[in-house]
Amino acid sequence: MEKKPFSNAETLQNRAHKLIPGGCHTYAKGDDQFPEQAPPFIVRGSGCHVWDVDGKEYIEYGMGLRAVTLGHAFAPVIEAAIRQLATGVNFSRPAPIEVECAEKLLELVPTAEMVKFSKDGSLAVDGAVRLARAYTGRDMIAICGDHPFFSTNDWFIGTTDMAAGIPESTRHQTVKFRYNDLKSLEALFEQHHGKIACVIMEAARTEEPSPNYLAGVKALTHSNGAVLVFDEMITGFRWHLHGAQHLYGVTPDLSTFGKALANGFSVSALAGRRDIMKLGGSDHDRERVFLLSTTHGAETHELAAAIATMRFYQQNPVVETLYARGEQLRQGFERVIANNDLTGYVDLAGRNCNLLFGTRDADRRPSQPFRTLFMQEMIKRGIIAPSFVVSYTHSEEDIDRTIEAAGEALAVYRKAIENGIGSYLEGRPVKPVFRRYA
Ligand SMILES: Cc1ncc(COP(=O)(O)O)c(C=O)c1O
């Protein structure tokens, strides 16, 4: 077994696990999500390149869980945040930049009439849930069961395999329908007649919507008196500058943004119809809704980063570049899959701006050990790739290097298919985040 190269990192890793449950603050970054060959920590990044604690350089994909769309330490965004930091970040009254940022977001999402900012995407989706419940006077939530994540809150986590600590009563409030299957949503509305407050889904993930599906969801949701929420955490500023709602031509009642909104700074947004959103304000005579109000809610430097990011999207071909680099990567990856006779064992799913790879074992069943092997061989070749989600700063050369590495990694994969994975996998396999026991 090859010796792992991390000297400083292993000590740090031990300290991390002693002090922090799970060893880090986001499960998707955890040790169990990566092969043992992965650098345990990343010290710095520039563009799509990152460096570990021992100074080794890598090309990174899916940066910051897809938040860092423009690249690490991206100058126009950093400079805007620094300028704002120098004038104070949090006052006892709102800052003008809150209005400026709202105007900018509504310029980019013209299908919405009002917006409120928060920190994490989950909080924005939670805000949508509370508004929908207040607006309809109902408790239940219908979510798309084919979409993996909506919120860190009990109403969603209670539906996963990691539901410890969540009351049974809460778990039953959320029900699931299938994507591209209107009948499954219709069945939920029949089964829970008059009880569902909202329908929450991504407009698309790896599967494209069938013709009229999204319009059908909207019509069904409205005819049953519920609120339609599109979670644009991933699709926003990636599928299209104006969101998936613009691309597919279906406007939801509420939509949520985060991730790419501020190039890694912590800003999320809940946007949508005025008559629903305004329940969070005071200019109505209905019961008031406590909507997204926190101490750190609108820190000025983060809003400055969001404005600079959105401005850069408007002025530069960012979305087009994501699609173009993804296309280059798709073509090259499909070529090396074919060269290694791995069609049916390794594949790509999703739009070119958001590519995910799939790994299967010798019996062509989805395989975490084979996922680990592929990631392990990529890491050895200087590529950290939990996905193939590109950023604006992935250059054509970066993609070429990735395809070359993938060709070599897949040659090892091929041997593992033929001879068994045992002598190729150099550590324990990765595991899904949502599992009941360690
Ligand atoms: C579609 C979707 N919605 C919501 C969230 C939650 O966002 P956050 O992690 O910023 O709370 C995520 C995070 O991965 C997501 O992918």
Side-chain angles (χ1 to χ4, degrees), residues 95-164:
I97 200 165
E98 298 182 32
V99 184
E100 199 190 326
C101 196
E103 283 168 350
K104 183 53 81 186
L105 187 123
L106 293 174
E107 234 177 74
L108 287 190
V109 187
T111 31
E113 294 170 314
M114 293 185 92
V115 60
K116 194 155 187 193
F117 295 109
S118 187
K119 286 288 178 231
D120 290 307
S122 299
L123 288 175
V125 187
D126 298 345
V129 166
R130 185 171 303 156
L131 270 184
R133 282 173 160 166
Y135 186 76
T136 59
R138 301 169 175 184
D139 287 344
M140 292 186 73
I141 304 156
I143 62 172
C144 180
D146 294 307
H147 295 164
F149 200 86
F150 291 111
S151 171
T152 51
N153 201 298
D154 286 4
W155 65 263
F156 174 73
I157 301 297
T159 69
T160 71
D161 288 336
M162 212 171 156

Side-chain angles (χ1 to χ4, degrees), residues 257-395:
F257 296 84
K259 296 202 187 264
L261 174 51
N263 199 43
F265 282 85
S266 175
V267 184
S268 64
L270 168 63
R273 263 169 53 186
R274 183 178 305 282
D275 62 327
I276 304 178
M277 292 288 292
K278 77 179 203 178
L279 295 184
S282 310
D283 51 349
H284 60 86
D285 49 18
R286 291 185 57 163
E287 223 180 318
R288 297 179 67 214
V289 175
F290 187 90
L291 184 66
L292 301 178
S293 172
T294 60
T295 302
H296 302 291
E299 283 171 318
T300 58
H301 64 296
E302 303 202 316
L303 295 184
I307 293 169
T309 303
M310 288 189 274
R311 191 171 290 141
F312 195 89
Y313 289 146
Q314 278 178 314
Q315 294 173 351
N316 299 275
V318 175
V319 173
E320 293 84 343
T321 304
L322 299 180
Y323 277 102
R325 294 292 178 274
E327 168 75 21
Q328 183 191 348
L329 184 50
R330 177 192 286 279
Q331 284 183 8
F333 193 59
E334 284 176 348
R335 191 177 63 244
V336 292
I337 289 173
N339 289 350
N340 284 286
D341 202 14
L342 283 170
T343 305
Y345 297 97
V346 181
D347 61 15
L348 278 177
R351 292 193 152 236
N352 289 335
C353 61
N354 189 57
L355 289 174
L356 308 178
F357 56 79
T359 50
R360 291 172 183 270
D361 64 15
D363 298 323
R364 303 193 183 215
R365 287 176 311 216
S367 166
Q368 297 280 48
F370 272 90
R371 172 177 170 79
T372 317
L373 176 68
F374 178 65
M375 288 171 70
Q376 164 192 297
E377 294 303 314
M378 292 298 277
I379 284 163
K380 283 187 193 171
R381 292 163 178 83
I383 317 279
I384 302 175
S387 69
F388 277 148
V389 176
V390 292
S391 77
Y392 180 65
T393 40
H394 282 82
S395 66

Side-chain angles (χ1 to χ4, degrees), residues 45-60:
S46 173
C48 68
H49 293 234
V50 294
W51 286 262
D52 70 14
V53 297
D54 293 316
K56 186 170 177 208
E57 182 179 347
Y58 301 83
I59 296 172
E60 196 190 22

